Amino acid sequence: MDLFTFFRSSTSYRLRIALAFKGLDYTPHYVSLPKMEHRQDSYLALNPQGLVPALVDDGAVYTQSLAIMDYLDETHPSPPFLPQAAADRAYVRALSQIIGCDIHPLNNVRVLKYLQGRWEFTDAERDEWYQHWIAEGLRNFEAMLNSSGKAGRFCCGDTVTSADICLVPQLFNAQRFNCDLSPYPRCNAILAACMELPCFEQTQPKYQPDAF
């Protein structure tokens, strides 16, 4: 497998965690977003979306982190990203989509650059935008954890699922933008539990060879 990744990309961090959780080896290829390497013809030929991550397995290219995780779960089912019970699976998918569909699309680098380039947001205004949508999304995430009766050491009981794999990188990015995470004690407890596991701890952005 070949993983095209950028150290600070939360979706790339998701995939690094996911591959480590499954115990799958891969060759990393570093795509610098600040240098616009994701928009170069050579990368667009691989991934026409011009986004990271991208995974190449047996010559086929897979894109979109949640779709790649589904692929990995279907081709390497143990350990699974989803629990066995249908109700629990729906709960984990909903949590994962709060991160992947509600929070991340509003706060990724393309949106932040557009706000500053087109609408002339200052750095402070950009950060206010980021912090607002983090608060909106994490408030909902925390509420679901608390109301579900399903959360334990991790988002669903005491076993890592895709919800944890989505949550941790988003919390890392929130910390980078100085978001106040104190209103989300359950999220913080899950983060601490996850960081005790090598698949989360050793794949952190700061440990990546392309980190700066």
Side-chain angles (χ1 to χ4, degrees):
M1 292 186 185
D2 294 271
L3 178 66
F4 292 79
T5 177
F6 177 61
F7 80 101
R8 212 157 49 198
S9 157
S10 62
T11 50
S12 294
Y13 187 13
R14 280 182 209 165
L15 259 294
R16 295 194 302 266
I17 296 168
L19 289 161
F21 178 73
K22 294 281 190 184
L24 298 173
D25 293 328
Y26 62 89
T27 300
H29 302 271
Y30 304 107
V31 181
S32 173
L33 303 189
K35 294 179 181 178
M36 299 298 290
E37 291 177 354
H38 59 303
R39 305 306 302 174
Q40 293 179 357
D41 290 343
S42 57
Y43 187 69
L44 291 173
L46 177 80
N47 179 7
Q49 297 174 54
L51 303 173
V52 291
L55 184 76
V56 179
D57 186 27
D58 197 24
V61 181
Y62 300 92
T63 63
Q64 293 291 338
S65 61
L66 292 177
I68 298 171
M69 288 172 63
D70 285 344
Y71 167 76
L72 293 175
D73 224 19
E74 291 170 3
T75 55
H76 301 84
S78 183
F81 292 138
L82 294 171
Q84 287 296 311
D88 291 344
R89 293 163 79 90
Y91 160 75
V92 166
R93 288 188 175 109
L95 287 174
S96 301
Q97 289 176 25
I98 289 175
I99 303 295
C101 302
D102 295 347
I103 300 177
H104 179 260
L106 289 165
N107 286 334
N108 67 33
V109 67
R110 292 181 298 163
V111 171
L112 299 180
K113 284 186 174 181
Y114 183 76
L115 290 172
Q116 292 193 283
R118 173 65 178 85
W119 300 108
E120 300 181 351
F121 272 35
T122 64
D123 287 350
E125 289 169 332
R126 176 204 63 194
D127 291 352
E128 181 183 348
W129 168 281
Y130 190 101
Q131 292 160 4
H132 170 81
W133 293 111
I134 284 289
E136 183 85 6
L138 290 183
R139 181 167 59 249
N140 294 335
F141 197 101
E142 184 89 1
M144 184 173 285
L145 291 174
N146 289 331
S147 66
S148 68
K150 297 179 184 293
R153 188 162 180 254
F154 302 106
C155 290
C156 188
D158 296 329
T159 303
V160 170
T161 65
S162 61
D164 307 289
I165 294 172
C166 289
L167 175 63
V168 167
Q170 190 63 72
L171 292 177
F172 266 66
N173 269 10
Q175 290 170 341
R176 186 164 66 89
F177 278 85
N178 299 312
C179 297
D180 179 13
L181 299 182
S182 62
Y184 321 111
R186 200 135 208 180
C187 288
N188 288 322
I190 291 169
L191 172 63
C194 287
M195 298 314 295
E196 294 177 4
L197 304 177
C199 61
F200 288 89
E201 201 278 332
Q202 294 176 4
T203 55
Q204 288 185 63
K206 68 180 181 181
Y207 294 141
Q208 303 311 302
D210 61 329
F212 55 82

